[in-house]
Amino acid sequence: MRPKLPKISLALMAVFLIGGSAALLVEWPPGPKNLDWGVWIVVYFGYVYVVGASLFYVKTGK
């Protein structure tokens, strides 16, 4: 029996990939600690997103 395709997990991965790529390609003004906002979005807030998506997967199995 084939396992079901995790559609929600794939959608979350696509959002992270597309959003992260866009955040790095956009010309951002300097933010805190003189880092561009794109760096803050991908590096720092991206971890929160990945941990949240992982917890969602663990709780729902989707």
Side-chain angles (χ1 to χ4, degrees):
M1 184 169 148
R2 285 180 55 191
K4 291 179 11 179
L5 186 64
K7 294 176 185 172
I8 294 175
S9 294
L10 289 174
L12 290 172
M13 286 186 256
V15 166
F16 185 73
L17 177 68
I18 294 168
S21 299
L24 291 175
L25 295 175
V26 172
E27 192 67 34
W28 294 93
K33 304 285 183 183
N34 236 6
L35 292 173
D36 291 339
W37 280 106
V39 173
W40 281 96
I41 291 168
V42 172
V43 176
Y44 296 107
F45 302 132
Y47 286 126
V48 174
Y49 180 83
V50 170
V51 169
S54 300
L55 291 173
F56 175 79
Y57 178 76
V58 168
K59 295 284 186 187
T60 64
K62 295 181 180 182

